[in-house]
Amino acid sequence: TCRLSGLRFIENSRTDKANLEVSGNMNVYFGLDIATEDARLIIISDKCEILDRFKTKLANVKIGSDLSRRQDSNSWGEACAKLITQAVEKCQVKNWIPQAISITATSGTFVITDENGKAISDAVMYNDGTADDPISRAQKLAVTGYFKHVPEMVISHLTKQNFCITDSSHALKTGYDLNQKLWQILAKDLNFPEVIAPGKQISEITIKGKVIKVISGMTDGCTAQISGGGVKMNDAVTTLGTTMVIKQSTDSNISGAGFYSHYLADNHWLAGGASNLGGISYREFNNLDSLAKQIDLSKKNDVVCYPLADVGERFPIKDNKMKAIWSQMPTERITKYQSILEGIGYAERMGYEVLQKGGAKKFSHLATVGGGSKSMIWNQIRANILQSEISIRNEAGSDLGAAMIAVAASQVGNFANNLAALNLQPAKVVEPNKALIEHYQKNYEKFGQLILANQR
């Protein structure tokens, strides 16, 4: 059963048994990622070789006139049961032995259930507009029951019980205090789950006769970082998608305006923040490949910008009224596109400097994942701005990071070290162009002055 508060925090550093190979067979591990529109499952080996991937749709999110965003949470369990069944069937064909699974999801999405683990109402999404935070949204539902993040609800469905254990990563946005290791919220009508560290066995599921360990995981932003190789102390990962997310492994719980830390294990924290810059910043452009080929970095661009597409920024500047800033508006389309790519690079550098001011050390290694990482001209621009080499990952994703957690938790020894030792080879390493570093350094200083002038 679930309990209200003062719950113990269990850290997992060691397992009882090694991950043993069975003669003639191969042990495999599952990572399950429940996003907003779909759920994905990946099968990997203990060497992080990707063996197969599966995907299925979830119920549509319903948007209400009160800005509510709701989803049928039953679709989570049904989708995940389908994916795991497909994965187990593939294992039977290939003679693989499924060992463990870890689940990741978007932080802030939740559902309230009854004492049997059945949903009382539709799930409330992370971006629901009825209140500013998950607990306030839950209280607006005016129901009594058990508060569950996505993984607990899925495990409840798979085990057919009222499962009430969550990991500290999914609990963080809900109101769990990582320092005091207690829930710091008052909600008399809601029962909150027990909280444990990532990487601990929390349950078992049986699918088609196969017993699979369930390992506590982390939110999708953290598992994406893990898949990018950002677990070793001071390593960093930039995710370039619709928006830009930067995260770095640190040895302490740091936080500040627009950034905070998730606890991994064994004195490893994943600190970072999410910007509103990213692919959304250049959504006006078509034929990006053609534009990229037209960029000539030797023709030094002096236009500097902070290319917000809409009003408001989260990180590295926290300002909900901030708008795009330009030193001057380019007259040529290609110059505008290049300026936007460079502006995001300047913001990325500023973001890592903000983390350093908050207590992080300068990153020792930087990798990048996400759709934007496929642009080699952008990677070159960023390497020049950051004055650092950048590793471009061949394969990454929150489902892969979740599977890596399952692998590391099934090995003997220190969980964080096991995770960091799972080596993912980069597809390419981009070095900064030394001839352009001085130019980008001057433009970065100009970028800082432009922002400072705008904030006065």
Side-chain angles (χ1 to χ4, degrees):
T1 58
C2 295
R3 290 167 285 180
L4 284 172
S5 60
L7 303 174
R8 61 199 176 107
F9 183 89
I10 308 169
E11 179 168 344
N12 181 57
S13 295
R14 188 173 295 274
T15 52
D16 295 329
K17 296 180 180 180
N19 173 27
L20 299 176
E21 288 290 335
V22 180
S23 178
N25 300 309
M26 179 170 64
N27 290 345
V28 298
Y29 304 82
F30 299 167
L32 183 57
D33 176 23
I34 301 121
T36 301
E37 297 181 353
D38 53 50
R40 299 175 295 142
L41 186 146
I42 190 172
I43 306 176
I44 68 171
S45 71
D46 58 4
K47 302 293 192 296
C48 292
E49 301 161 311
I50 297 174
L51 304 174
D52 212 337
R53 272 183 159 133
F54 305 85
K55 183 177 179 180
T56 191
K57 296 291 290 183
L58 298 174
N60 292 331
V61 174
K62 296 173 288 188
I63 303 176
S65 57
D66 58 350
L67 301 181
S68 62
R69 285 175 168 80
R70 306 292 160 84
Q71 188 175 47
D72 179 6
S73 63
N74 292 317
S75 73
W76 303 342
E78 293 165 0
C80 294
K82 174 184 175 181
L83 292 175
I84 296 172
T85 299
Q86 290 176 336
V88 170
E89 288 174 347
K90 182 63 176 282
C91 290
Q92 291 173 330
V93 171
K94 292 290 187 179
N95 208 25
W96 298 332
I97 310 300
Q99 296 292 313
I101 185 171
S102 186
I103 301 173
T104 183
T106 306
S107 61
T109 296
F110 69 89
V111 66
I112 308 299
T113 75
D114 62 19
E115 60 185 5
N116 297 312
K118 302 296 184 183
I120 294 173
S121 65
D122 281 346
V124 180
M125 305 305 289
Y126 70 98
N127 57 348
D128 182 273
T130 59
D132 292 335
D133 60 83
I135 297 305
S136 298
R137 294 166 193 155
Q139 291 173 322
K140 280 184 172 291
L141 296 175
V143 296
T144 300
Y146 295 82
F147 184 102
K148 292 184 181 176
H149 309 86
V150 180
E152 299 99 274
M153 187 61 184
V154 169
I155 298 170
S156 291
H157 179 94
L158 296 173
T159 60
K160 300 189 178 353
Q161 61 175 292
N162 190 27
F163 187 82
C164 298
I165 301 174
T166 194
D167 61 83
S168 59
S169 181
H170 283 90
L172 186 59
K173 188 175 285 187
T174 309
Y176 188 76
D177 189 306
L178 285 168
N179 290 317
Q180 297 188 39
K181 299 180 176 60
L182 293 171
W183 286 106
Q184 296 295 309
I185 48 180
L186 296 174
K188 63 180 181 179
D189 295 328
L190 299 176
N191 295 296
F192 292 96
E194 180 174 345
V195 179
I196 64 175
K200 182 173 179 62
Q201 182 176 346
I202 53 179
S203 187
E204 288 181 342
I205 57 174
T206 303
I207 304 288
K208 298 183 78 67
K210 299 296 183 181
V211 179
I212 304 170
K213 297 180 294 183
V214 181
I215 306 298
S216 57
M218 302 189 78
T219 59
D220 54 3
C222 293
T223 53
Q225 178 182 1
I226 290 168
S227 77
V231 176
K232 291 180 182 178
M233 195 61 67
N234 301 319
D235 278 4
V237 176
T238 299
T239 302
L240 295 172
T242 303
T243 58
M244 177 176 66
V245 179
I246 74 169
K247 286 185 178 292
Q248 181 175 336
S249 179
T250 67
D251 60 4
S252 61
N253 182 7
I254 66 171
S255 62
F259 72 93
Y260 54 92
S261 303
H262 286 255
Y263 185 63
L264 176 63
D266 311 306
N267 205 37
H268 281 65
W269 299 78
L270 305 184
S275 170
N276 288 339
L277 302 176
I280 194 173
S281 299
Y282 48 80
R283 62 187 176 187
E284 67 186 89
F285 295 97
N286 297 315
N287 302 317
L288 296 181
D289 289 341
S290 175
L291 280 174
K293 291 175 182 177
Q294 297 177 48
I295 294 176
D296 182 356
L297 297 185
S298 67
K299 298 178 180 178
K300 299 174 182 177
N301 175 35
D302 291 324
V303 178
V304 174
C305 68
Y306 199 101
L308 282 170
D310 300 303
V311 177
E313 177 61 301
R314 298 174 291 171
F315 181 79
I317 300 163
K318 189 171 178 61
D319 182 352
N320 60 11
K321 295 182 180 180
M322 186 175 179
K323 298 180 181 179
I325 313 170
W326 289 81
S327 61
Q328 64 190 78
M329 185 56 65
T331 56
E332 295 185 5
R333 181 178 171 83
I334 185 61
T335 304
K336 184 176 182 182
Y337 178 60
Q338 179 178 342
S339 300
I340 289 173
L341 297 184
E342 292 174 340
I344 297 171
Y346 298 135
E348 180 183 10
R349 175 172 168 178
M350 177 176 284
Y352 283 113
E353 290 178 355
V354 168
L355 293 185
Q356 290 173 40
K357 291 175 183 176
K361 296 180 175 63
K362 180 175 175 55
F363 63 77
S364 53
H365 177 263
L366 176 65
T368 191
V369 299
S373 67
K374 294 178 174 61
S375 171
M376 296 312 295
I377 189 69
W378 197 6
N379 292 327
Q380 185 62 66
I381 288 170
R382 293 169 51 236
N384 296 341
I385 292 171
L386 290 157
Q387 300 178 23
S388 168
E389 68 176 32
I390 300 176
S391 296
I392 317 302
R393 295 293 177 188
N394 245 338
E395 292 281 357
S398 46
D399 56 345
L400 175 58
M404 290 170 66
I405 287 176
V407 172
S410 300
Q411 297 175 334
V412 170
N414 180 293
F415 170 65
N417 287 346
N418 290 343
L419 197 56
L422 297 176
N423 189 29
L424 296 171
Q425 294 297 325
K428 188 176 182 64
V429 175
V430 179
E431 300 277 355
N433 184 335
K434 295 181 180 180
L436 293 174
I437 284 179
E438 183 179 356
H439 163 71
Y440 279 108
Q441 177 63 33
K442 289 180 179 178
N443 270 8
Y444 179 64
E445 293 169 4
K446 183 178 177 180
F447 175 81
Q449 292 166 0
L450 189 69
I451 290 173
L452 186 61
N454 183 71
Q455 291 177 325
R456 287 172 180 165

